[in-house]
Amino acid sequence: MDRAHSAALQLHQLPPTSSADPLSELSFSYKENLIGALLAIFGHLVVSIALNLQKYCHIRLAGSKDPRAYFKTKTWWLGLFLMLLGELGVFASYAFAPLSLIVPLGAVSVIASAIIGIIFIKEKWKPKDFLRRYVLSFVGCGLAIVGTYLLVTFAPNSHEKMTGENITRHLVSWPFLLYMLVEIILFCLLLYFYKEKNANNIIVILLLVALLGSMTAVTVKAVAGMLVLSTQGSLQLDYPIFYVMFVCMVATAVYQAAFLSQAAQMYDSSLIASVGYILSTTIAITAGAVFYLDFIGEDALHICMFALGCLIAFLGVFLITRNRKKATPFEPYISMDAMPDEGAG
């Protein structure tokens, strides 16, 4: 009797079996990854539509006798609203999924732009050029979609609450401090060659953009995560690290835009899109892996499949952009005869 009683007590004192907890945590992490991925895909898709709407508005006005300024048309304002909505979606996605998953999903913008371009853009091509131009674009879209699928499927499942303590701990960790030292040295060297030696090579300029962009991505995830936690009742806005991250986010985004603008004055936008996407994604994933430890605990198969997804997406973006027709001044890229007759807006 005593043995039965003691056995019952031991059984009662045992903690709950941990077999259900890992499964529930894994399911929760996949759910958060899916929410973040869907928000990012939605955001990039809406931003692409918004940009093309605004370009549509500009060209409609240029091809008509409408004296209105572009900002007085409903189409342009619709584009601006959609752009803000898309950027908000991308911003929110960082709070749910690892940085290493969200950053490569920028390929969605390239895919959407290619599809919109094929539908609306007027390109002069000969039958013999069809294979070189359109088929390669379709192949590129297919590869980018396959790469995106692999990225979402094999993305890391590291989920950590973006509290002020956790972000501060990551910020002063030795791996990140060493990474920052290397990145600052590389950035200063590139800036020296660019400014003093007139090294205007596209790789130099876009490496500067990518280095700044990696810090933008790291800080965006911190700011978005702390804001989401604050809305859930765990206030994070009283931590100084929030404002440090916010200032860094704005500053790096502004300088990143400045370098991109300089690159756009010297190189074709298609080349900037493909090379910029590859460099920025690679460096941002590296920064996320160092700062947020995205790949800690991941098995080799998942890491290899994730890397394969990145490579396939890179190849898809390269094929989409490599054969785009270079922009020619005063040549409308949207077929005017396909437009409705009523005025813009």
Side-chain angles (χ1 to χ4, degrees), residues 40-41 43-45 47-48 52 105-114 324:
I41 291 171
H44 287 300
L45 180 62
V47 167
S48 293
N52 281 278
L105 293 179
V108 174
S109 293
V110 182
I111 298 171
S113 296
R324 278 188 185 172

Side-chain angles (χ1 to χ4, degrees), residues 45-339:
L45 180 62
V46 171
V47 167
S48 293
I49 294 172
L51 290 173
N52 281 278
L53 269 178
Q54 290 189 327
K55 291 178 181 178
Y56 171 88
C57 172
H58 285 291
I59 292 174
R60 284 286 301 276
L61 290 174
S64 67
K65 297 180 180 179
D66 194 334
R68 288 181 296 169
Y70 64 88
F71 55 83
K72 292 184 179 180
T73 62
K74 294 178 182 178
T75 305
W76 189 87
W77 282 104
L78 176 61
L80 180 62
F81 170 77
L82 290 177
M83 185 183 299
L84 294 175
L85 180 64
E87 293 292 353
L88 181 61
V90 175
F91 178 81
S93 68
Y94 281 90
F96 293 94
L99 185 151
S100 302
L101 168 60
I102 299 302
V103 170
L105 293 179
V108 174
S109 293
V110 182
I111 298 171
S113 296
I115 295 173
I116 293 172
I118 291 171
I119 295 173
F120 291 105
I121 295 175
K122 180 181 180 181
E123 289 184 332
K124 298 175 181 178
W125 55 272
K126 299 176 182 178
K128 65 179 182 180
D129 293 332
F130 181 83
L131 180 64
R132 183 177 63 87
R133 299 180 67 81
Y134 285 99
V135 172
L136 280 180
S137 293
F138 281 117
V139 171
C141 286
L143 288 173
I145 291 172
V146 171
T148 301
Y149 172 78
L150 291 176
L151 289 171
V152 174
T153 304
F154 295 98
N157 288 301
S158 60
H159 292 273
E160 182 182 35
K161 295 293 184 182
M162 291 292 101
T163 62
E165 293 93 343
N166 287 338
I167 293 173
T168 303
R169 177 169 53 84
H170 288 307
L171 190 64
V172 298
S173 65
W174 281 109
F176 183 70
L177 291 176
L178 181 61
Y179 173 83
M180 278 301 300
L181 178 62
V182 172
E183 183 164 306
I184 290 171
I185 292 174
L186 180 59
F187 183 85
C188 291
L189 287 174
L190 290 170
L191 190 62
Y192 170 77
F193 284 110
Y194 176 58
K195 293 293 186 181
E196 300 297 329
K197 302 296 183 180
N198 293 322
N200 293 330
N201 186 280
I202 188 171
I203 300 296
V204 173
I205 303 174
L206 293 183
L207 271 176
L208 290 169
V209 172
L211 291 171
L212 289 170
S214 67
M215 289 299 100
T216 304
V218 167
T219 53
V220 164
K221 180 168 179 60
V223 171
M226 294 180 81
L227 285 175
V228 168
L229 280 181
S230 298
T231 60
Q232 294 174 348
S234 177
L235 186 63
Q236 302 295 315
L237 303 185
D238 52 351
Y239 287 94
I241 191 65
F242 172 81
Y243 301 98
V244 172
M245 288 293 188
F246 182 81
V247 171
C248 290
M249 177 185 72
V250 174
T252 53
V254 169
Y255 282 104
Q256 187 182 354
F259 282 117
L260 272 176
S261 176
Q262 294 173 27
Q265 296 174 12
M266 293 181 282
Y267 296 97
D268 181 66
S269 60
S270 299
L271 185 62
I272 294 173
S274 59
V275 177
Y277 171 75
I278 294 170
L279 292 177
S280 296
T281 300
T282 303
I283 296 178
I285 289 176
T286 304
V290 174
F291 189 90
Y292 293 109
L293 307 176
D294 283 348
F295 294 95
I296 293 295
E298 296 293 326
D299 58 79
L301 177 62
H302 272 72
I303 295 175
C304 290
M305 292 302 294
F306 180 83
L308 178 62
C310 287
L311 291 176
I312 293 175
F314 291 166
L315 179 60
V317 169
F318 174 75
L319 290 178
I320 292 171
T321 57
R322 73 181 296 266
N323 285 316
R324 278 188 185 172
K325 189 175 181 180
K326 294 185 178 181
T328 305
F330 309 111
E331 181 181 359
Y333 72 98
I334 296 181
S335 176
M336 300 304 296
D337 53 9
M339 303 292 182

